[in-house]
Amino acid sequence: MKERLEKLIAAAARDLFSIDTSTKLTRPDENFGDYATNVALQIAPQLEKTPREIADQLQLKLTETLAEYCNNITIAGPGFINIKLKDSALWDQAKAEFARTASGQKIVIEYSDPNPFKILHAGHLYTSVVGDAVANLLDSTGAAVHRVNFSGDVGLHVAKTIWAILFYESDGKLDSDIAWQKVQSLADKPLEEKSNWLSGYYIKGNAAYVDDQNKAKDSINDFNQKIYKIFEVNDHNSSLAQIYWTCRGWSYGYFDKFYERIGSHFEKYYPESGTIELGLKTVREHIGDVFKESDGAVVFNGEDHGLHTRVFITSQGLPTYETKDIGLLIEKWQDYHFNRSIVITANEQAQYMAVVLKAIEQFAPELAKASQHITHGSIRLQGNVKMGSRLGNIIRATEVLDSVNEANTALNGKKDDRVVLGAVKYAFLKQRLGGDIIFDPAESVSLEGNSGPYLQYAYVRAASMLSKTESDTLPADNLQADERKLLLKIGEFQEVQGRAVNELLPHHVCTYLYELAQTFNQFYEGNRVIGNDREAIRVQLVRCYARTLKTGLELLGIPVIDKM
RNA sequence: GCGCCUGUAGCUCAGCUGGAUAGAGCGUUGGUUUCCGGUACCAAAGGCCGCAGGUUCAAAUCCUGCCAGGCGCACCA
């Protein structure tokens, strides 16, 4: 509807003044109209007329050409043209489906990216929720969306953890047989406990590495190579390898359980270990033309492109994250032949990723061009304090869910995981991507006001009403003011979804859904539906509203509830 | 030091492809229930939109400088 009107207005301007405009319609204050355009103000200078004169001429013309959709076109202020839609146009708009703008396209979206052997913290919860919402948005455009997950199953953090297990379980002797016995003895423990056990050793290993206790640094670097070696020779038998594979399995098992709890689903996991060979091969092939050797390492000279210079292969001959990311992108390409590849991470990776993509651009420009990196802020504690495992103030992902569960149970006397998820996801998504999120376990996730449960409750009300009626008549004209206001708001959804997709910003959907639910709650207060003599029309309206709210909540990955 | 991001009400944030009186939630104060589910609704108080210039008929929005905070800058991920 909006695009149609914009085209008609552009056509009118062309007819009247032989001028091309690219003016967009906006949603003005409800007192002015349903749509507004400032086209008269914009073209006035070049036509050397007053905006008011132009607006007058346009008003006459548009009253004619927009007659099918609009019944009132007025001029206000310095020359704004305000348009009021017919009720029938409002109904059409409210019932429209999403435009399938990316139908036939393949999109690979990678997000969440947890590290085995390390803690799954609040930041992982946040990035997962964001990724789900962005993927859902893309899905709504008709594209085939493939959700994948990249996880660091090799690398220094793994060496730190394994080293610490060996060191502390065998009294500093680094005896893998003794450590393996310990690992086996934990077999029957719950996944959560195993995961905590591992992340505890990561913290110890990291501390030892940083402080270089007991010459730990060299020793850990040595273990790093040993772990890469496990993959090189496909070792599943040595006690070190058994410790590695067993603990790795615990981590992945724990991730699966977590994703199930929050409703995330990945089509494929790409472990870093699987990207090494392809990454190394690719980088080595391009030593000379893209990469160069420097101090025994292989680097990409980002400074030539206004970026940082980064190491791709260390002087030990090991691939860094950079090289793994190259292998990963090529592997994704081989798997999917995507039109678009999107990676979501925290802000701190932004400039790093720019270097990797610039390097790829040198030898595979089409891959780099199809790739997009979007980033978000991190979770910070009250008082703008950063979380960090070494600071001992990490909030586990499950702690966030548990604390909200506690608050919700206290509020209404019973536990409901759907409401907890609604509250947490909405709290994270309602903020524009990019900035940090200040998280206070006690207060940040609200259950009232602008919150997930508010939306869920606003749906419950409508669902409850609809269960009490059989009414199924067609919509009618001559809407009353409150009815019209609600229908107008419902009709805004397509525009909001379009904008959220274009900008890959889910918070637009949150903002809109909250306004929509607010409009509905206001309508609900003042207008009886069931048993009213306008029941037929109002039931149609409520159906339309409920459908819109449900679709919106689904885009955000928030559970839709009939009764709560 | 260089680069990127951020600065809007007491707090947490929308608004930033320039437009009409700068919005919401929480918190504070005061109201609303014979009636479809009160996790609701209504109202009040609360703003040099970080500061200073510039562009424009029009700037929270665009440009420049400064101040404050965050992130990144070679063998971690």
Side-chain angles (χ1 to χ4, degrees):
Chain A
M1 177 66 63
K2 190 183 166 210
E3 287 80 9
R4 211 175 304 161
L5 295 177
E6 283 168 348
K7 275 182 193 160
L8 288 168
I9 292 169
R14 208 177 305 121
D15 285 357
L16 286 173
F17 312 110
S18 359
I19 189 170
D20 279 322
T21 58
S22 61
T23 300
K24 285 165 189 158
L25 286 171
T26 55
R27 296 269 184 176
D29 186 287
E30 60 176 304
N31 300 319
F32 296 128
D34 300 334
Y35 282 115
T37 175
N38 61 2
V39 64
L41 285 86
Q42 293 204 330
I43 62 180
Q46 14 178 342
L47 294 175
E48 295 178 355
K49 291 182 180 176
T50 69
R52 197 68 201 207
E53 286 176 71
I54 293 167
D56 283 336
Q57 285 180 265
L58 272 170
Q59 182 193 21
L60 272 178
K61 178 87 179 173
L62 290 175
T63 303
E64 203 178 297
T65 57
L66 301 187
E68 191 185 345
Y69 311 109
C70 311
N71 54 14
N72 192 12
I73 296 172
T74 54
I75 301 172
F80 293 103
I81 299 172
N82 293 316
I83 295 167
K84 200 162 180 187
L85 296 177
K86 287 184 171 175
D87 289 351
S88 58
L90 236 37
W91 282 109
D92 286 348
Q93 189 178 47
K95 297 198 161 185
E97 303 283 336
F98 291 144
R100 311 293 276 181
T101 48
S103 181
Q105 279 198 36
K106 284 185 229 165
I107 304 177
V108 177
I109 177 164
E110 175 211 315
Y111 60 97
S112 193
D113 298 358
N115 282 324
F117 303 90
K118 285 178 78 172
I119 196 169
L120 196 63
H121 56 69
H124 292 111
L125 173 60
Y126 176 48
T127 197
S128 304
V129 167
V130 167
D132 280 337
V134 172
N136 292 340
L137 280 170
L138 293 166
D139 203 68
S140 75
T141 64
V145 178
H146 302 281
R147 298 155 200 245
V148 304
N149 191 319
F150 185 45
S151 50
D153 65 335
V154 284
L156 204 54
H157 65 286
V158 181
K160 287 170 179 171
T161 310
I162 299 281
W163 177 89
I165 292 171
L166 263 62
F167 186 87
Y168 292 105
E169 292 296 342
S170 69
D171 293 324
K173 291 199 288 274
L174 291 171
D175 185 321
S176 55
D177 291 328
I178 295 174
W180 170 227
Q181 279 178 14
K182 171 69 184 180
V183 169
Q184 283 174 292
S185 76
L186 298 173
D188 295 331
K189 301 283 186 192
L191 279 171
E192 173 113 32
E193 195 177 326
K194 290 171 177 165
S195 167
N196 289 347
W197 186 79
L198 285 177
S199 54
Y201 274 120
Y202 166 73
I203 292 169
K204 285 188 172 183
N206 187 56
Y209 189 86
V210 172
D211 304 338
D212 203 16
Q213 305 156 10
N214 310 303
K215 297 189 176 159
K217 201 167 178 173
D218 286 343
S219 181
I220 289 171
N221 283 333
D222 193 40
F223 266 87
N224 196 18
Q225 289 198 313
K226 285 182 182 165
I227 288 160
Y228 277 102
K229 199 88 185 168
I230 290 174
F231 285 92
E232 248 180 84
V233 302
N234 197 21
D235 179 1
H236 280 79
N237 299 316
S238 72
S239 47
L240 182 71
Q242 297 208 49
I243 292 170
Y244 173 80
W245 290 112
T246 303
C247 294
R248 181 182 185 276
W250 292 351
S251 286
Y252 280 117
Y254 183 63
F255 295 159
D256 284 339
K257 200 177 148 200
F258 173 71
Y259 288 136
E260 198 187 324
R261 183 174 179 188
I262 65 170
S264 296
H265 300 285
F266 293 96
E267 181 173 318
K268 185 162 182 171
Y269 280 88
Y270 286 96
E272 273 187 34
S273 56
T275 63
I276 296 169
E277 206 182 314
L278 191 51
L280 278 175
K281 180 172 162 273
T282 308
V283 171
R284 286 193 181 122
E285 275 171 10
H286 292 284
I287 291 177
D289 58 336
V290 178
F291 303 98
K292 65 173 191 184
E293 299 193 56
S294 169
D295 292 338
V298 178
V299 307
F300 174 71
N301 210 341
E303 263 110 49
D304 297 345
H305 309 272
L307 302 168
H308 302 141
T309 290
R310 301 196 62 108
V311 170
F312 281 66
I313 302 176
T314 71
S315 47
Q316 277 187 313
L318 297 179
T320 59
Y321 193 45
E322 287 81 342
T323 290
K324 295 170 194 167
D325 251 328
I326 288 180
L328 174 64
L329 187 63
I330 297 173
E331 210 183 324
K332 284 177 186 167
W333 170 252
Q334 291 171 349
D335 288 346
Y336 296 105
H337 290 90
F338 53 76
N339 302 89
R340 233 177 135 182
S341 165
I342 294 170
V343 174
I344 302 177
T345 72
N347 291 331
E348 57 213 38
Q349 311 252 18
Q351 284 149 295
Y352 153 81
M353 192 64 84
V355 175
V356 173
L357 287 176
K358 184 56 79 176
I360 293 173
E361 190 186 311
Q362 309 308 306
F363 59 86
E366 68 292 345
L367 274 192
K369 200 173 171 219
S371 297
Q372 187 181 1
H373 183 216
I374 59 185
T375 68
H376 56 252
S378 37
I379 306 291
R380 305 182 77 82
L381 304 176
Q382 194 64 29
N384 204 22
V385 177
K386 193 184 178 178
M387 286 196 311
S389 49
R390 293 191 64 216
L391 302 167
N393 61 357
I394 281 259
I395 302 177
R396 287 173 195 283
T398 51
E399 275 179 79
V400 174
L401 298 169
D402 293 342
S403 69
V404 175
N405 179 46
E406 219 169 281
N408 182 54
T409 307
L411 185 72
N412 59 55
K414 62 176 184 202
K415 159 175 167 33
D416 190 335
D417 291 339
R418 300 168 305 174
V419 174
V420 170
L421 273 187
V424 170
K425 290 190 177 187
Y426 187 83
F428 283 155
L429 291 174
K430 73 176 175 181
Q431 212 174 116
R432 188 187 184 93
L433 291 190
D436 288 344
I437 293 199
I438 309 291
F439 181 77
D440 178 347
E443 291 173 21
S444 292
V445 179
S446 58
L447 304 165
E448 293 168 358
N450 186 359
S451 69
Y454 177 96
L455 299 180
Q456 289 172 314
Y457 178 70
Y459 184 83
V460 166
R461 273 183 151 176
S464 172
M465 233 186 307
L466 292 174
S467 72
K468 293 181 170 67
T469 180
E470 306 269 302
S471 175
D472 193 24
T473 19
L474 291 170
D477 278 346
N478 303 318
L479 292 172
Q480 295 178 349
D482 281 359
E483 295 165 350
R484 197 176 188 286
K485 191 177 168 191
L486 179 55
L487 191 59
L488 178 66
K489 196 70 197 175
I490 295 169
E492 205 180 313
F493 190 38
Q494 318 303 320
E495 291 160 36
V496 171
Q497 177 259 2
R499 185 171 179 200
V501 167
N502 282 337
E503 301 177 4
L504 295 180
L505 291 175
H507 81 284
H508 285 132
V509 176
C510 292
T511 306
Y512 166 75
L513 290 182
Y514 179 64
E515 288 167 3
L516 174 67
Q518 234 179 358
T519 307
F520 171 74
N521 278 333
Q522 286 159 1
F523 173 81
Y524 180 93
E525 288 295 322
N527 303 278
R528 176 98 200 164
V529 175
I530 308 300
N532 187 277
D533 56 8
R534 294 183 68 78
E535 175 171 334
I537 292 169
R538 290 182 177 175
V539 164
Q540 287 302 310
L541 197 52
V542 174
R543 279 218 176 90
C544 218
Y545 154 77
R547 194 186 65 129
T548 305
L549 181 55
K550 181 168 190 272
T551 308
L553 287 171
E554 284 167 353
L555 280 181
L556 300 174
I558 292 177
V560 179
I561 307 174
D562 285 329
K563 288 178 186 167
M564 60 193 270

